[in-house]
Amino acid sequence: MTTGFSSGSCRFADYFVICGLDTESGLEPDELSALCQYIEATKFRDGARGNLANEGENFEQSPLRRTFKSKVLAHFPENVEWNPFDQDAVGMLCMPKGLAFRTQVDCREPQFHSFIITREDGSRTYGFALTFFEEVTSKQICSAMQTLYHMHNRHQHSQPRPRFNSYDISRDTLYVSKCICLITPMAFPQACRKVLQQLHQAVSSPQPPPLPLESYIYNILYEVPMPPSGRSLKFSGVYGPVVCQRPSTSELPLFDFPISEMFNLLGVENILQLFTCALLEMQILLYSQHYQRLMTVAESITALMFPFQWQHVYVPILPASLLHFLDAPVPYLMGLHSNGQDDRTKLELPQEANLCFVDIDNHFIELPEELPQFPNKLEFIQEISEVLMSFDVSPEGNIHSSDSQAKYRGFRSVDMVSDKRNGNLASPLNSYLLRENETIARLQALVKRTGVSLEKLEVKEDASSNKDARFQCDEEELKMHQLNIQVREVFANRFTQMFADYEVFVIQPSHDKESWFTNRDQMQNFDKASFLSDQPEPYLPFLSRFLETQMFASFIDSKILCHDDEEKEHTLRVFDSRVDKIRMLNVRTPTLRTSMYQKCTNIEEAEKAIEMRVAKIDHTALHPHLLDMKIGQGRYEQGFFPRLQSDVLSTGPTSNKWTKRSAPAQWRRRDRQKQHAEHLYLDNDQREKYIQEARNLGTTIRQPKLSNLSPSVIAQTNWKFVEGLLKECRNKTKRMLVEKMGREAVELGHGEVSITGVEENTLIASLCDLLERIWSHGLQVKQGKSALWSHLLHYQESKEKKNATPGGLGPPGFIHDAERRKSDGGVSAMAPLKVSLIQDMRHIQNISEIKTDVGKARAWVRLSMEKKLLSRHLKQLLSEHELTKKLYKRYAFLRCDDEKEQFLYHLLSFNAVDYFCFTNVFTTIMIPYHVVVVPSKKLGGSMFTANPWVCVSGELAETGVLQVPRNTLEITFECQNLGKLTTVQMGHDNTGLYAKWLVECVMVRNEITGHTYKFPCGRWLGKGVDDGSLERILVGELMTPSTENDERMCRTPPMQQSPGMMRRFVTISPNSKPKLNTGQIQEGVGEAINGIVKHFHKPEKERGSLTLLLCGEYGLVWALEQVFQHGFKSPRLFKNVFIWDFLEKSQVYFESAEQREVTPDENWQTRVRHFCRFMRAINNTSRNIGKDGKFQMLVCLGARDHLLHHWIALLADCPITAQMYEDTALIKDRSLVNSLIRVLQTLQEFNITLEASLVKGVGI
């Protein structure tokens, strides 16, 4: 992308460079790249294959295939203030593999490639290089090559070498590569290619050029200006005119690489996947034999991201000497040159868990696991394909550019258009393509569904017919510009639609700018939760991850830092104007989101702008002219690029009005930085400080230093990585805690936040990615795709060797009866699971649904977080120092002790909150549960003769009835993940002599996560005792492990501290328990209703258990029990009367009243009918629930169907109430009853869904 250019330069090109063989220093092996090749080759040799005869590149190779050092032979001018010449970088990137030698039998076609140099401040300079071969005239070099061959042949005793790989001084001509290069502030690859090709043509053609080469080079360096914004420029090459044009400030930024080439190489589907990886800031490695392909794909992908910008390491061409950079534990986009022989399997890439590998030449892409889908992917592919097909580009890509390709190229679109004029309307191109092409066949099916016809697809009329009359550039180039702008507009339109209302969610800083900079990494700059809650469900997996990226944060930062259009940087201004246009078109409420796909509408307008510029050239540069050269200068020999005259090329004209030579360099450098500072209108020092800050936020290193690397430089680079990883870890843990703690965090001033399930998943996935990057930094030898899982396996293996004693292998955590009996009921009835890293690994290994190493590592991290053991487990893993030493290089993050300690300390902070990130994600796996029923110690549980059963329910499923052995009262069973547990139904079959049983509580533990739930009871089960219930529904709560059982660090209770035992002795008998007064009862009802209202006001994915709010301690059922118990007349001694008895009497009264037709009004009748129907249904249930259980069921059903307030009104007026309640009772107090009715009415707006266990057996 060409947003970052050096504005200090108004010239088209800053430097002209020549690289090649320095005959004076002779042949020097290119040590670093040779060393890399040697290491690769030895790795390969030590592997399974033993024969290295003609594999790999190494010292045993034929000298013609080795790499030698190239030098910068000359560059003009010597230096430019606003863009200092970087000799190391230019030398490395002009000839990334060093010098190449050939003989007359080899192919010696000139090759063009471009490259990019990124400076410390993020600004970029572009290079365009043409590499060609020249005959070696130096006798010393030829004889040195001959000597190398003799040595090589002696070394190889094997079969004779093939002819093309040898050199004989007596009969072969030796050629060496040379490179001419233009360094420019903006990327105009098409124009630069023409200039360089014409210069090369001038030296290789038999006729000398019209003027000396110096004239043309002087012209391009000093007399050709940069085209101004929105204008086109024409200047002269050696043999013909060169045209370039630059978009205006209201158009998409300059981009001059042929996008069609990327689509031809990879196809739409692959490109969309690669694009998604880039947007989510994964590590991307491009792989090709052609440098120009690497550059084209990298630049195209980053250009399509508009308005976002890639914020991390960006090296489209990675020189051979920088291969160690591939284990950088940061997001990167790099291009690796392949030699065409090695296949993918030989590439030892340090980390692949998060890597997108793109083999450009083979049309192949390897994706990271769990990559979310780009929103509206199919419709998007359809729209891009239509554009491509209108330009004769196959959406599949042209990997097989063989006969089918030739056939299809044979259909010129002109023929088609003329064909249409002759009345043959069906397009032969389309029907041909659709026959040939599966993707398009799929697309056509999709299109039919959406009701669009492909036959109507317009095919561009070719410009060639009237080219001479209208356009100043050649047809191919115009077509490239048109295709580029159309595809880019389609991509830009996706973001304009997706973020049409992003401004509403930008959080403006409350502080002044200075303090905002200082605390930037702790501030929320975008209300992610609200934004996501407005998005269509299918967008969430992608968007929730995209909002966490550095590129999105930087985009929002630049929005915050500019107040008006003047201050906005170019991309933001263009994007905002498009967003405004969409808003005006749609005139809809800013937050209403639709997943309707809206196509791009401003293609024609964008295309017209380009066509107008190319039709009428705005500026023409000075023509090349004779320079003031000495006689005899400027001669040249055919086939050799001459040594240029530095005296005429080292300085430009003094009086040129646009060269800005007079402006001080300091000012120009500032000016350039202004382009990159997110246009902060602060004073320059502050701005520079901010640029550095912003660049360093998520990334520590934007660019490897392109110089010959010494061990100290490598060490320094790795040290930066270590610091960066630690900083990233600190920011991630903090962000996750702030999100998780919600309101508490808001009170601490961290911005308004809440967290959704999607968002929590995203944060945990990005933590897993960070852990993978840390574990892959400085690996000695890569094994498997997940570095973390590989380390864990090594640890498991070493531990299991030590523990191979038979005793140590029983599964921990199963408690024997004797042990349990010793404990004294309650929580300790179930000892906590033993903490064991290996056991947690085994749990993951036993889950058949998880197939890959990366998946296993992620599952293990999730499980450890849920158990609050992540920091502890990793500490234990890293305490095996010998193992860590064996697996990691000295500079690796895991071997930097202080940083490692701090890292574990940051992870420890996760123990402060409750995560269910394992339970909620792996919903279909089988999990063992352990159930213990704790009878009351006071009253002879030992005499109990009936057979007990339980049924456990959770948010995801329930178990069905499980028989519990009477003698042990505990079972372990395995079933599909129940999720968070909510209720236990328990009861017995009422057999034997003594079928009465007082149960204190039931404990249930998930044997994988160790979560233990307590379901308090405190009631009898049996006929003729308590309320005569043979089964009860118990509501559970998650226990917090007690510290004495467990030496874990940092325990805090969970967010929702649940009740103690549910002491609901609702028997209404004298002295049963202190009575509440009316004020307290009203407060209790208010609190219970309030809890339910709050529950429904939370986003769906954050809600806790509604069952707990209805039936738990101080829930709605309890509150209404208090209402009905207040002022209940004391019955005779020893007889218990229950609320249910009162309700049954009222039912009898209502039914007889209905028959007598004593009906005040129709409303009353309806209410009575409802009440009696519910009472009958509950009484007729086949379940053996007691009177209190029936009351609980009635309240739950009444809440569900919004009838409670009607029933309260009925009962308050019922004569039975007058008989059974004192005069002071709450239910007799008119005003209190009315306020109770008003409170209950607030439940009407909520759709209450009851858990199956609460209403089982009631057919309403």
Side-chain angles (χ1 to χ4, degrees):
M1 255 315 266
T2 43
T3 44
F5 63 89
S6 319
S7 60
S9 168
C10 282
R11 311 199 303 214
F12 181 81
D14 286 341
Y15 294 101
F16 180 81
V17 186
I18 306 170
C19 295
L21 168 65
D22 184 357
T23 44
E24 285 159 26
S25 62
L27 283 185
E28 297 178 65
D30 185 358
E31 292 140 22
L32 271 163
S33 62
L35 182 65
C36 291
Q37 290 158 6
Y38 176 66
I39 290 167
E40 273 176 35
T42 44
K43 255 190 207 161
F44 177 67
R45 188 183 54 218
D46 300 341
R49 312 166 183 78
N51 167 21
L52 195 84
N54 38 16
E55 289 278 7
E57 291 184 311
N58 72 339
F59 292 135
E60 296 170 21
Q61 269 201 326
S62 97
L64 279 183
R65 293 288 170 267
R66 289 187 203 164
T67 51
F68 296 93
K69 235 183 221 163
S70 66
K71 294 268 174 74
V72 174
L73 304 177
H75 66 278
F76 309 104
E78 195 54 43
N79 205 22
V80 185
E81 292 158 300
W82 58 87
N83 180 7
F85 188 72
D86 185 342
Q87 184 141 336
D88 278 334
V90 173
M92 266 191 189
L93 291 168
C94 277
M95 304 182 99
K97 284 231 163 172
L99 291 174
F101 284 92
R102 299 279 184 274
T103 64
Q104 74 282 0
V105 294
D106 297 310
C107 165
R108 303 190 306 282
E109 282 300 300
Q111 293 290 328
F112 171 82
H113 78 271
S114 28
F115 57 84
I116 194 168
I117 298 172
T118 308
R119 298 189 202 79
E120 287 287 301
D121 65 357
S123 62
R124 293 172 176 179
T125 303
Y126 289 84
F128 302 95
L130 185 75
T131 308
F132 50 89
F133 284 88
E134 265 184 10
E135 191 181 322
V136 178
T137 50
S138 156
K139 291 280 180 286
Q140 292 107 310
I141 300 287
C142 292
S143 51
M145 185 56 81
Q146 179 77 71
T147 314
L148 285 172
Y149 256 100
H150 287 317
M151 287 161 65
H152 173 70
N153 291 338
R154 273 207 303 280
H155 190 81
Q156 301 279 347
H157 304 301
S158 57
Q159 73 272 29
R161 280 276 162 276
R163 169 83 187 90
F164 68 83
N165 229 354
S166 66
Y167 170 64
D168 181 338
I169 198 164
S170 58
R171 58 160 194 253
D172 289 326
T173 314
L174 189 62
Y175 292 87
V176 67
S177 54
K178 184 177 250 183
C179 171
I180 52 176
C181 166
L182 281 173
I183 304 286
T184 65
M186 294 185 88
F188 290 105
Q190 307 310 317
C192 293
R193 177 187 285 223
K194 280 187 188 160
V195 170
L196 295 172
Q197 282 172 342
Q198 292 186 22
L199 282 171
H200 176 247
Q201 196 184 334
V203 295
S204 50
S205 70
Q207 291 300 312
L211 292 170
L213 289 185
E214 281 84 351
S215 295
Y216 301 103
I217 291 166
Y218 183 89
N219 180 253
I220 190 92
L221 283 177
Y222 302 112
E223 293 171 334
V224 176
M226 177 87 74
S229 282
R231 298 300 167 92
S232 50
L233 168 80
K234 184 165 158 182
F235 60 93
S236 307
V238 181
Y239 296 112
V242 179
V243 174
C244 57
Q245 51 96 29
R246 186 174 156 194
S248 71
T249 49
S250 60
E251 297 172 61
L252 291 178
L254 170 67
F255 177 76
D256 200 37
F257 290 84
I259 279 188
S260 60
E261 191 181 327
M262 174 174 78
F263 282 98
N264 270 329
L265 289 166
L266 291 170
V268 182
E269 186 120 2
N270 281 341
I271 284 167
L272 205 52
Q273 300 282 41
L274 167 58
F275 183 62
T276 308
C277 290
L279 289 171
L280 298 181
E281 297 185 332
M282 307 205 153
Q283 292 181 326
I284 296 172
L285 185 61
L286 309 173
Y287 192 59
S288 170
Q289 292 181 61
H290 307 275
Y291 293 120
Q292 188 56 14
R293 284 181 178 181
L294 295 172
M295 188 71 179
T296 301
V297 173
E299 284 287 284
S300 301
I301 280 293
T302 49
L304 292 176
M305 287 177 177
F306 172 88
F308 304 102
Q309 290 169 14
W310 179 259
Q311 298 291 320
H312 301 274
V313 173
Y314 181 69
V315 192
I317 296 174
L318 188 68
S321 52
L322 289 181
L323 282 181
H324 71 278
F325 219 79
L326 288 174
D327 80 350
V330 291
Y332 58 63
L333 200 167
M334 299 206 232
L336 187 60
H337 185 260
S338 80
N339 59 11
Q341 296 146 12
D342 284 358
D343 62 348
R344 160 78 177 90
T345 50
K346 279 183 229 157
L347 265 184
E348 284 284 309
L349 299 171
Q351 195 223 326
E352 295 179 53
N354 201 24
L355 180 76
C356 170
F357 179 81
V358 186
D359 186 343
I360 297 174
D361 304 338
N362 294 317
H363 194 87
F364 163 75
I365 179 168
E366 210 174 281
L367 295 166
E369 292 183 20
E370 295 176 26
L371 184 70
Q373 199 170 23
F374 192 78
N376 293 113
K377 182 178 165 185
L378 282 173
E379 294 94 326
F380 190 25
I381 287 183
Q382 162 69 29
E383 190 180 2
I384 302 163
S385 301
E386 286 176 11
V387 171
L388 294 175
M389 285 157 66
S390 69
F391 283 91
D392 296 7
V393 176
S394 157
E396 282 275 81
N398 295 343
I399 177 158
H400 319 288
S401 49
S402 54
D403 27 324
S404 75
Q405 213 41 48
K407 267 191 290 176
Y408 134 49
R409 287 224 176 96
F411 281 108
R412 299 292 302 133
S413 43
V414 190
D415 308 350
M416 285 182 55
V417 175
S418 56
D419 206 51
K420 277 193 176 174
R421 290 197 194 103
N422 301 338
N424 303 332
L425 291 173
S427 120
L429 171 66
N430 289 337
S431 49
Y432 170 74
L433 272 173
L434 292 169
R435 275 201 310 280
E436 289 291 297
N437 204 315
E438 294 168 39
T439 300
I440 300 181
R442 289 208 304 275
L443 288 172
Q444 204 182 25
L446 175 89
V447 173
K448 276 191 182 133
R449 286 209 303 279
T450 52
V452 182
S453 154
L454 255 190
E455 293 301 327
K456 296 189 198 122
L457 201 100
E458 285 288 320
V459 174
K460 295 272 152 206
E461 182 160 346
D462 222 337
S464 61
S465 47
N466 49 7
K467 181 235 160 180
D468 313 338
R470 285 182 55 204
F471 297 119
Q472 303 283 329
C473 69
D474 59 37
E475 177 202 339
E476 278 306 307
E477 201 170 321
L478 177 66
K479 228 172 142 182
M480 181 205 87
H481 288 311
Q482 289 169 327
L483 174 60
N484 274 8
I485 198 66
Q486 289 200 23
V487 171
R488 291 175 67 206
E489 286 290 354
V490 169
F491 272 80
N493 177 55
R494 287 295 0 99
F495 287 121
T496 323
Q497 301 284 354
M498 233 183 278
F499 292 99
D501 36 13
Y502 84 101
E503 289 183 58
V504 183
F505 302 99
V506 174
I507 299 171
Q508 289 295 343
S510 45
H511 319 279
D512 57 301
K513 291 273 164 75
E514 185 53 40
S515 64
W516 186 79
F517 292 151
T518 355
N519 303 313
R520 171 61 201 91
D521 53 344
Q522 293 158 29
M523 309 299 276
Q524 288 283 343
N525 63 4
F526 192 73
D527 183 357
K528 295 172 187 168
S530 307
F531 177 78
L532 289 173
S533 65
D534 277 356
Q535 302 304 313
E537 188 74 28
Y539 289 17
L540 294 181
F542 170 80
L543 281 177
S544 61
R545 286 178 67 173
F546 180 64
L547 299 189
E548 294 299 323
T549 58
Q550 190 63 35
M551 72 176 76
F552 185 75
S554 299
F555 173 74
I556 298 298
D557 282 354
S558 62
K559 177 73 182 169
I560 287 174
L561 291 162
C562 61
H563 289 302
D564 51 38
D565 269 5
E566 288 310 301
E567 288 188 14
K568 285 182 189 174
E569 63 171 5
H570 177 206
T571 25
L572 188 62
R573 195 164 55 240
V574 175
F575 185 70
D576 280 355
S577 70
R578 285 158 180 249
V579 162
D580 295 343
K581 209 180 278 181
I582 279 197
R583 287 235 192 89
M584 283 168 67
L585 280 173
N586 294 358
V587 197
R588 56 190 172 87
T589 53
T591 49
L592 183 71
R593 298 300 299 159
T594 162
S595 49
M596 265 285 292
Y597 189 81
Q598 287 163 311
K599 285 178 122 180
C600 182
T601 50
N602 51 344
I603 288 182
E604 278 179 35
E605 188 186 327
E607 213 171 5
K608 252 190 210 103
I610 291 180
E611 286 170 7
M612 279 168 65
R613 280 197 290 276
V614 185
K616 179 179 163 292
I617 297 295
D618 301 300
H619 301 280
T620 306
L622 281 174
H623 286 287
H625 50 84
L626 271 172
L627 300 173
D628 185 12
M629 290 167 73
K630 299 187 185 67
I631 295 177
Q633 285 187 330
R635 286 205 192 130
Y636 79 105
E637 199 182 330
Q638 188 200 336
F640 292 94
F641 201 88
R643 183 166 274 194
L644 300 171
Q645 302 305 314
S646 55
D647 51 345
V648 291
L649 289 178
S650 52
T651 51
T654 45
S655 60
N656 206 321
K657 66 180 184 298
W658 47 258
T659 52
K660 264 199 194 171
R661 303 293 298 169
S662 54
Q666 182 64 22
W667 186 82
R668 264 197 306 273
R669 198 172 307 120
R670 283 282 155 85
D671 202 37
R672 182 183 76 224
Q673 285 174 339
K674 186 174 99 185
Q675 300 276 343
H676 299 285
E678 330 288 67
H679 274 241
L680 283 181
Y681 273 52
L682 306 159
D683 66 60
N684 279 333
D685 292 331
Q686 274 181 315
R687 187 182 300 123
E688 279 187 45
K689 176 184 150 200
Y690 171 65
I691 294 163
Q692 291 313 323
E693 278 300 300
R695 299 287 173 214
N696 290 341
L697 251 182
T699 60
T700 42
I701 249 180
R702 305 238 336 159
Q703 219 48 32
K705 190 84 186 93
L706 295 177
S707 61
N708 283 325
L709 291 172
S710 61
S712 65
V713 175
I714 292 179
Q716 195 184 346
T717 305
N718 279 298
W719 178 241
K720 276 192 168 169
F721 284 148
V722 168
E723 286 182 315
L725 286 170
L726 188 61
K727 186 170 182 180
E728 196 181 341
C729 176
R730 184 178 67 233
N731 290 343
K732 271 211 167 70
T733 47
K734 182 165 182 180
R735 163 111 168 77
M736 288 172 75
L737 287 170
V738 165
E739 289 285 18
K740 192 70 178 155
M741 290 170 139
R743 192 168 306 108
E744 295 171 35
V746 176
E747 284 157 14
L748 300 173
H750 290 292
E752 184 60 56
V753 291
S754 63
I755 187 162
T756 63
V758 178
E759 214 172 340
E760 176 171 309
N761 260 340
T762 304
L763 292 175
I764 288 172
S766 82
L767 175 74
C768 293
D769 292 343
L770 173 65
L771 293 177
E772 283 294 357
R773 294 210 307 274
I774 286 176
W775 255 259
S776 63
H777 182 235
L779 256 183
Q780 298 275 19
V781 181
K782 184 182 156 292
Q783 297 164 324
K785 285 203 169 183
S786 163
L788 173 58
W789 190 248
S790 162
H791 193 166
L792 284 165
L793 289 174
H794 280 290
Y795 176 82
Q796 186 181 23
E797 196 184 333
S798 70
K799 282 289 176 225
E800 284 176 351
K801 274 183 193 155
K802 284 181 197 167
N803 300 348
T805 52
L809 292 176
F814 291 94
I815 321 292
H816 296 296
D817 187 47
E819 266 180 282
R820 191 176 65 72
R821 291 283 176 244
K822 274 183 288 185
S823 65
D824 59 350
V827 184
S828 18
M830 201 178 258
L833 283 178
K834 198 173 94 189
V835 175
S836 158
L837 187 158
I838 303 277
Q839 187 59 33
D840 285 351
M841 281 185 69
R842 284 194 199 132
H843 286 313
I844 302 299
Q845 286 160 329
N846 292 338
I847 299 174
S848 57
E849 287 88 337
I850 306 174
K851 306 276 190 279
T852 63
D853 285 358
V854 176
K856 286 174 183 165
R858 289 185 171 198
W860 181 85
V861 170
R862 284 172 177 279
L863 177 59
S864 304
M865 283 188 73
E866 187 160 323
K867 295 177 85 164
K868 304 191 177 190
L869 290 173
L870 183 60
S871 180
R872 182 172 172 177
H873 277 349
L874 292 176
K875 187 174 187 173
Q876 193 178 338
L877 175 67
L878 296 170
S879 63
E880 293 282 313
H881 298 301
E882 287 312 307
L883 180 60
T884 313
K885 266 187 194 161
K886 189 176 96 183
L887 298 178
Y888 288 92
K889 296 174 184 148
R890 182 63 200 92
Y891 63 71
F893 182 93
L894 297 177
R895 289 187 62 188
C896 300
D897 291 342
D898 289 355
E899 284 65 31
K900 183 176 74 183
E901 282 304 310
Q902 287 182 55
F903 156 72
L904 292 170
Y905 179 73
H906 289 312
L907 293 184
L908 189 60
S909 57
F910 288 135
N911 292 10
V913 290
D914 289 329
Y915 278 102
F916 287 90
C917 49
F918 180 83
T919 306
N920 291 343
V921 167
F922 298 102
T923 51
T924 57
I925 62 173
M926 298 302 284
I927 289 185
Y929 291 91
H930 186 64
V931 178
V932 178
V933 181
V934 184
S936 168
K937 293 186 297 298
K938 299 185 198 75
L939 298 152
S942 51
M943 304 186 306
F944 177 59
T945 56
N947 299 302
W949 56 267
V950 293
C951 170
V952 184
S953 304
E955 288 178 355
L956 300 174
E958 72 168 33
T959 58
V961 170
L962 303 164
Q963 297 301 327
V964 182
R966 192 172 57 223
N967 52 350
T968 61
L969 293 186
E970 60 181 283
I971 51 166
T972 300
F973 61 92
E974 195 175 58
C975 68
Q976 192 170 323
N977 186 353
L978 300 172
K980 290 182 198 166
L981 302 188
T982 49
T983 61
V984 162
Q985 300 155 62
M986 68 166 307
H988 61 76
D989 62 1
N990 199 31
T991 54
L993 294 170
Y994 191 75
K996 297 185 175 77
W997 193 28
L998 180 59
V999 175
E1000 194 170 308
C1001 66
V1002 177
M1003 311 284 290
V1004 184
R1005 180 176 64 207
N1006 176 324
E1007 294 293 285
I1008 291 184
T1009 64
H1011 285 319
T1012 305
Y1013 292 82
K1014 182 178 180 184
F1015 296 86
C1017 176
R1019 304 284 299 267
W1020 284 91
L1021 285 97
K1023 290 282 181 213
V1025 60
D1026 201 336
D1027 66 348
S1029 180
L1030 288 186
E1031 63 176 273
R1032 292 192 185 279
I1033 300 165
L1034 310 179
V1035 180
E1037 39 169 330
L1038 182 62
M1039 301 301 300
T1040 43
S1042 53
T1043 29
E1044 67 270 9
N1045 287 344
D1046 183 13
E1047 71 288 19
R1048 286 180 221 174
M1049 310 145 282
C1050 179
R1051 298 303 306 209
T1052 51
M1055 294 291 287
Q1056 184 178 27
Q1057 185 47 4
S1058 295
M1061 205 185 265
M1062 250 200 281
R1063 285 179 286 276
R1064 287 206 280 114
F1065 289 101
V1066 193
T1067 50
I1068 298 159
S1069 57
N1071 324 321
S1072 63
K1073 68 195 237 208
K1075 294 275 197 296
L1076 300 178
N1077 62 36
T1078 50
Q1080 291 168 320
I1081 293 172
Q1082 277 181 297
E1083 197 179 322
V1085 175
E1087 286 292 316
I1089 299 284
N1090 205 8
I1092 295 171
V1093 172
K1094 278 185 191 164
H1095 170 88
F1096 282 103
H1097 277 294
K1098 288 181 186 167
E1100 202 167 324
K1101 298 209 168 73
E1102 293 174 37
R1103 296 173 184 171
S1105 162
L1106 184 59
T1107 308
L1108 203 61
L1109 297 172
L1110 291 169
C1111 312
E1113 188 171 44
Y1114 308 125
L1116 183 62
V1117 174
W1118 172 86
L1120 291 178
E1121 272 175 356
Q1122 305 311 308
V1123 169
F1124 284 110
Q1125 273 178 286
H1126 188 261
F1128 212 83
K1129 283 182 178 168
S1130 295
R1132 293 189 307 279
L1133 215 56
F1134 308 124
K1135 174 152 181 0
N1136 286 341
V1137 180
F1138 292 86
I1139 297 171
W1140 192 251
D1141 299 330
F1142 157 67
L1143 294 174
E1144 284 183 324
K1145 284 185 179 172
S1146 305
Q1147 179 196 349
V1148 171
Y1149 167 78
F1150 288 136
E1151 284 172 338
S1152 62
E1154 261 197 302
Q1155 283 159 3
R1156 290 199 310 276
E1157 292 177 0
V1158 186
T1159 51
D1161 61 10
E1162 205 165 310
N1163 264 350
W1164 186 85
Q1165 275 184 322
T1166 316
R1167 289 171 190 180
V1168 163
R1169 217 168 291 140
H1170 277 310
F1171 177 72
C1172 296
R1173 190 173 111 237
F1174 277 84
M1175 289 291 293
R1176 280 195 299 274
I1178 292 172
N1179 269 327
N1180 296 340
T1181 174
S1182 57
R1183 295 172 71 180
N1184 286 307
I1185 48 175
K1187 292 176 178 178
D1188 282 342
K1190 288 175 180 176
F1191 176 74
Q1192 174 171 298
M1193 212 178 254
L1194 183 72
V1195 172
C1196 290
L1197 289 167
R1200 183 192 73 184
D1201 295 351
H1202 307 131
L1203 298 170
L1204 287 176
H1205 55 287
H1206 295 323
W1207 294 347
I1208 294 281
L1210 272 185
L1211 293 168
D1213 292 339
C1214 176
I1216 306 295
T1217 310
Q1219 293 167 22
M1220 296 186 73
Y1221 282 87
E1222 310 275 359
D1223 290 345
T1224 54
L1226 189 153
I1227 194 102
K1228 282 187 174 178
D1229 185 322
R1230 252 292 149 243
S1231 63
L1232 290 181
V1233 168
N1234 284 341
S1235 75
L1236 176 63
I1237 289 171
R1238 275 198 303 278
V1239 171
L1240 288 171
Q1241 276 173 327
T1242 54
L1243 293 181
Q1244 275 180 289
E1245 58 191 278
F1246 305 117
N1247 184 11
I1248 293 176
T1249 309
L1250 298 178
E1251 202 177 304
S1253 59
L1254 296 179
V1255 290
K1256 201 185 275 180
V1258 178
I1260 293 187

